[in-house]
Amino acid sequence: VLECFHDSETSLSLTDISRLGGLPESSVFRILSTLESRGYLLGTADGAYRLAPRLVVGLIHQRAEQVRELARPFLKALNSSLNETSSLAFFFEDRIQLIDTIETLHDIRITNTLGRVLPPHCSSLGKAIVAFQPKELVERLLRISGLFRGTEKTVLNRAAVLEDLEEVSRRGYALDREESVMGGICFGAPILDERQRSV
């Protein structure tokens, strides 16, 4: 039953779950009642079900690890061909976090720290991820993280930040021209899922 739910946005009725799982509705009803009473599923106002937060967190972390494994060869190739640090970030519902990095061998280089939370308004990876989300989610992320100054070149005007994100979605990649770290110029590109949202 739980495997019928793909992400935090999946909402399924008893009939949907019965069909997807190949189980009789009477059995699904009892299973759903148990899962809901134990806090694994949440019932919605329209009688459907969604994964509870305790399962969503695990599902998101599992997906992040899958993306990291798939992207690792591409990070290595970028690092090798450009001789620059290559990094991967992932969108965890309310934050953008660095999940992999391969550093350049230059004596002078900008380093990335695994687990670091990236600002959505001034880092290239943050912009690349946020620009390919629904507008209401973009607004929420900017509100949660705040528009803080990373360097003297950080854009703090909300309208200008939103305009930059629109340009990123049109262009297909993001730029950070010393907006988060002085001396650092970074490019970020999204990995899009089946809904054309970045992961």
Side-chain angles (χ1 to χ4, degrees), residues 134-186:
K135 289 191 186 310
E136 62 276 5
L137 185 52
V138 171
E139 292 286 349
R140 185 171 72 83
L141 289 170
L142 292 177
R143 193 172 53 253
I144 289 170
S145 70
L147 297 178
F148 60 88
R149 185 170 299 286
T151 73
E152 62 190 35
K153 297 188 178 186
T154 305
V155 177
L156 299 178
N157 178 286
R158 187 177 196 77
V161 169
L162 292 171
E163 186 178 316
D164 186 28
L165 293 174
E166 283 289 328
E167 178 60 28
V168 170
S169 67
R170 281 192 297 273
R171 187 175 50 220
Y173 64 92
L175 298 169
D176 169 358
R177 295 183 182 107
E178 298 185 300
E179 296 166 56
S180 57
V181 176
M182 285 308 291
I185 297 177
C186 305

Side-chain angles (χ1 to χ4, degrees), residues 11-13 36 42-50:
S11 181
L12 299 171
S13 69
E36 185 177 20
L42 299 174
T44 64
D46 62 357
Y49 294 88
R50 298 176 83 115

Side-chain angles (χ1 to χ4, degrees), residues 108-119:
I108 299 173
R109 62 183 176 266
I110 292 180
T111 61
N112 262 327
T113 304
L114 290 180
R116 181 176 139 219
V117 175
L118 303 172

Side-chain angles (χ1 to χ4, degrees), residues 25-38:
E25 287 190 15
S26 57
S27 298
V28 171
F29 177 78
R30 289 192 301 278
I31 293 167
L32 290 173
S33 296
T34 301
L35 291 171
E36 185 177 20
S37 70
R38 300 219 175 148

Side-chain angles (χ1 to χ4, degrees), residues 73-137:
F74 297 99
L75 281 184
K76 285 181 178 178
L78 274 172
N79 174 266
S80 176
S81 66
L82 300 174
N83 195 20
E84 294 292 346
T85 298
S86 300
S87 300
L88 176 69
F90 191 84
F91 179 46
F92 291 93
E93 290 210 315
D94 63 351
R95 70 190 186 285
I96 298 158
Q97 192 168 341
L98 197 69
I99 62 171
D100 202 359
T101 190
I102 301 172
E103 293 197 8
T104 182
L105 298 176
H106 292 305
D107 289 336
I108 299 173
R109 62 183 176 266
I110 292 180
T111 61
N112 262 327
T113 304
L114 290 180
R116 181 176 139 219
V117 175
L118 303 172
H121 69 293
C122 64
S123 69
S124 63
L125 292 176
K127 290 181 194 181
I129 288 174
V130 172
F132 291 89
Q133 301 299 329
K135 289 191 186 310
E136 62 276 5
L137 185 52

